[in-house]
């Protein structure tokens, strides 16, 4: 069998672990040939690829990013990719394509599958917002980075009696903010799923100071937004990939709190630090299992599906099911952390 693999969309820790696992299972066990397309679907369209043998994936398990490179494709090029994909697959002699990516990548995978191509998807995103899988790899690493940052910020915040507003990733789903905020014991968490009132945060900080706890750390998802009429703030326009541009809620909220409280409030934007560097052990294991199962599915001819973690087992679920809606934080998970909302 000849298997093509690509990584698309925003990178995340664990992508290399999937690539390595695909190659190990396919080459060492089945005697397959694996080729890796460069820079996501762009490499498939432009015919840029290289052979991935066991040597090519040696030493990459713990490495962040992706050795294949990644990119986002505009919708028009995506459509173009679908139209030309059958010819390209024939030209490259590929029997199965394994795209590893988030919602956009899996939507493209589904489009390719719908036109009859043999596709097995592997979900990834630090946001953990893909429905049908309990977890995506990269999330655990991102939560760990954000938690450590807040642990560190607490000590300096306390020394200077400051409020730290830590902005983490998460456009529409606040999983990173929820879990890192809980793990770090943040004093307030703001998620995209529930509008916040800055007045509540002011009250909470004032109460803390009155109790002698003269600092506070707030964890805010980049997609969090104030309730209407509570603060002058608006998210931005839509970019060329159909994603909303964010204007920096962390910075806006820090300034707002400083103004209302008359105390120093500092914004800390963690940004792409959350996506870089080595994956945690959990993410390496999940990524490795996904890669193994993707190759197995390809050999069973089980196309149009993606790997998914269900409980402790890896299952194959229809791509169609995976991309219909984003997995956002449900109310009961917010209720569990109620004291910080
Ligand atoms: O989708 C993953 C993600 O890291 C989001 O959390 C974040 O909003 C976005 O990608 C950032 O994208 P880019 O790397 O293109 O700035």
């Amino acid at each position: 069998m000849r298997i093509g693999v690509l990584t698309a969309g925003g990178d995340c820790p664990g992508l290399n672990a999937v690539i390595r696992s695909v190659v190990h299972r396919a080459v060492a066990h089945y005697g397959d040939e694996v080729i890796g397309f460069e820079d996501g679907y762009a490499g498939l369209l432009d015919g840029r690829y290289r052979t991935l043998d066991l040597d090519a994936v040696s030493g990459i398990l713990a490495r962040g990013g992706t050795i294949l490179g990644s990119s986002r494709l505009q919708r028009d090029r995506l459509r173009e990719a679908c139209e030309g994909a059958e010819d390209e697959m024939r030209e490259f002699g590929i029997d199965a394509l394994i795209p590893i990516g988030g919602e956009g990548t899996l939507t493209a995978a589904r489009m390719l599958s719908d036109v009859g191509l043999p596709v097995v998807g592997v979900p990834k995103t630090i946001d953990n917002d893909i429905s049908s899988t309990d977890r995506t790899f990269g999330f655990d690493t991102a939560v760990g980075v954000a938690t450590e940052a807040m642990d560190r910020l607490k000590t300096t915040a306390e020394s200077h009696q400051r409020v730290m507003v830590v902005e983490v990733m998460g456009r529409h789903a606040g999983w990173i903010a929820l879990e890192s905020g809980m793990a770090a014991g943040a004093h307030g968490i703001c998620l995209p799923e529930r509008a916040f009132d800055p007045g509540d945060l002011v009250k909470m900080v004032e109460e803390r100071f009155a109790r002698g706890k003269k600092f506070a750390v707030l964890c805010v998802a980049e997609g969090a937004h104030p309730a209407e009429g509570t603060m002058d703030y608006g998210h931005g326009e839509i970019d060329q990939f159909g994603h909303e541009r964010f204007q920096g809620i962390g910075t806006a909220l820090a300034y707002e709190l400083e103004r209302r409280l008359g105390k120093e409030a500092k914004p800390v934007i963690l940004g792409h630090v959350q996506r870089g560097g080595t994956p945690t052990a959990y993410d390496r294991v999940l990524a490795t299992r996904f890669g193994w199962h993707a190759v197995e599915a390809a050999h069973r001819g089980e196309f149009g599906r993606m790997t998914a973690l269900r409980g402790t087992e890896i299952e194959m679920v229809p791509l169609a099911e995976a991309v219909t809606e984003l997995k956002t934080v449900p109310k009961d998970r917010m209720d569990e952390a109620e004291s910080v909302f």
Side-chain angles (χ1 to χ4, degrees):
M1 194 172 216
R2 194 164 200 239
I3 297 176
V5 59
L6 61 84
T7 51
D11 72 344
C12 93
L15 286 169
N16 284 327
V18 182
I19 297 168
R20 172 182 175 271
S21 175
V22 166
V23 171
H24 277 202
R25 187 66 181 162
V27 174
H29 182 76
Y30 286 109
D32 293 339
E33 193 185 344
V34 179
I35 61 170
F37 291 101
E38 290 169 3
D39 306 329
Y41 288 109
L44 179 67
L45 273 180
D46 306 338
R48 285 184 289 113
Y49 65 89
R50 59 181 190 266
T51 300
L52 296 176
D53 56 16
L54 294 174
D55 274 351
V57 297
S58 168
I60 66 168
L61 175 62
R63 205 195 302 172
T66 160
I67 59 163
L68 291 175
S70 188
S71 66
R72 291 202 164 99
L73 262 199
Q74 284 139 323
R75 298 268 161 190
D76 291 355
R77 283 214 85 198
L78 254 181
R79 259 173 241 121
E80 199 190 311
C82 288
E83 280 156 22
E86 201 164 354
D87 292 342
E88 261 125 39
M89 297 274 281
R90 207 173 300 120
E91 185 190 327
F92 305 134
I94 295 174
D95 306 299
L97 179 68
I98 303 181
I100 311 164
E103 194 225 346
T105 306
L106 296 172
T107 302
R110 187 198 167 179
M111 287 160 75
L112 293 173
S113 168
D114 285 350
V115 296
L117 299 186
V119 178
V120 180
V122 173
K124 71 88 222 175
T125 168
I126 63 164
D127 296 341
N128 196 37
D129 60 0
I130 297 179
S131 49
S132 306
T133 181
D134 292 351
R135 284 259 166 160
T136 44
F137 60 86
F139 174 65
D140 189 64
T141 307
V143 168
V145 169
T147 302
E148 193 198 334
M150 280 184 273
D151 287 347
R152 289 175 183 277
L153 288 165
K154 271 187 172 175
T155 63
T156 172
E158 188 167 20
S159 308
H160 292 270
Q161 308 194 348
R162 283 173 174 156
V163 177
M164 293 288 185
V165 180
V166 184
E167 184 184 301
V168 298
M169 280 186 166
R171 292 188 186 108
H172 306 291
W175 291 105
I176 297 176
L178 178 77
E179 297 215 351
S180 64
M182 285 176 85
H187 306 109
I189 300 177
C190 302
L191 307 182
E193 290 86 347
R194 182 185 283 180
F196 66 88
D197 183 343
D200 293 339
L201 298 170
V202 167
K203 206 165 141 235
M204 178 276 291
V205 174
E206 278 173 342
E207 278 170 11
R208 277 184 62 75
F209 273 67
R211 278 189 286 122
K213 303 279 186 192
K214 296 186 184 301
F215 73 102
V217 172
L218 308 178
C219 182
V220 182
E222 63 184 332
H225 51 94
E228 219 180 309
T230 59
M231 178 180 150
D232 191 17
Y233 180 78
H235 284 309
E237 327 237 293
I238 303 296
D239 72 12
Q240 57 178 327
F241 305 109
H243 295 149
E244 198 174 355
R245 273 187 215 279
F246 292 106
Q247 309 281 68
I249 184 63
T251 306
L253 180 59
Y255 290 150
E256 182 77 10
L257 293 179
E258 186 162 295
R259 192 179 62 77
R260 292 199 199 185
L261 284 161
K263 301 182 196 310
E264 264 193 303
K266 299 272 184 190
V268 179
I269 317 299
L270 293 185
H272 293 81
V273 170
Q274 297 158 91
R275 263 180 27 195
T278 188
T280 59
Y282 179 92
D283 282 338
R284 293 179 204 183
V285 172
L286 182 58
T288 300
R289 294 180 73 197
F290 275 179
W292 192 94
H293 281 272
V295 173
E296 291 302 300
H299 274 271
R300 288 195 302 270
E302 209 178 323
F303 298 117
R305 291 175 172 260
M306 70 163 208
T307 56
L309 180 70
R310 295 274 174 90
T312 56
E313 301 305 311
I314 308 293
E315 294 178 8
M316 299 306 299
V317 301
L319 280 168
E321 204 182 288
V323 294
T324 43
E325 59 174 333
L326 275 190
K327 183 177 66 186
T328 51
V329 177
K331 185 179 170 303
D332 58 336
R333 286 299 308 269
M334 292 189 226
D335 289 347
E336 289 169 3
E338 199 172 32
S339 60
V340 285
F341 284 104

